[in-house]
Amino acid sequence: GGISNGEHIYFRVAFKPPATISQDQVTATYDGVEGTLAARGRHDPCVVPRAVPIVETMAAITIMDAVLQQNGRVATMQKLKPVPSELKGIKPV
């Protein structure tokens, strides 16, 4: 048994919108003092240019994780000694 039969793998992907906007916003502190909230740093309004490489990489990591798990199961089974015939019918407690 393998992890795939060789067919194409299809899945859906969803992204949440960016958490910040670059426009200054009027706000208030906990003390009630008015102020301005300004985003600093890199904030992309559209994640689409980054979406494809992110999705491809995460899919590759997930598939490789499944491959490594399967290889671990196979290697473990090869290293285990066969169960003696007198123990095959005994159910664990």
Side-chain angles (χ1 to χ4, degrees), residues 26-91:
V26 177
T27 187
T29 64
Y30 287 110
D31 300 331
V33 178
E34 283 194 16
T36 303
L37 178 65
R40 293 182 183 86
R42 182 175 174 175
H43 301 284
D44 296 340
C46 180
V47 296
V48 173
R50 295 180 177 175
V52 173
I54 291 170
V55 171
E56 287 176 346
T57 303
M58 286 308 301
I61 289 171
T62 303
I63 292 168
M64 194 63 212
D65 185 49
V67 168
L68 291 172
Q69 287 179 14
Q70 180 68 11
N71 287 347
R73 283 192 283 276
V74 171
T76 301
M77 291 302 295
Q78 291 173 350
K79 290 183 184 245
L80 291 175
K81 295 178 183 176
V83 176
S85 59
E86 61 270 6
L87 297 177
K88 285 190 178 181
I90 298 175
K91 299 206 183 243

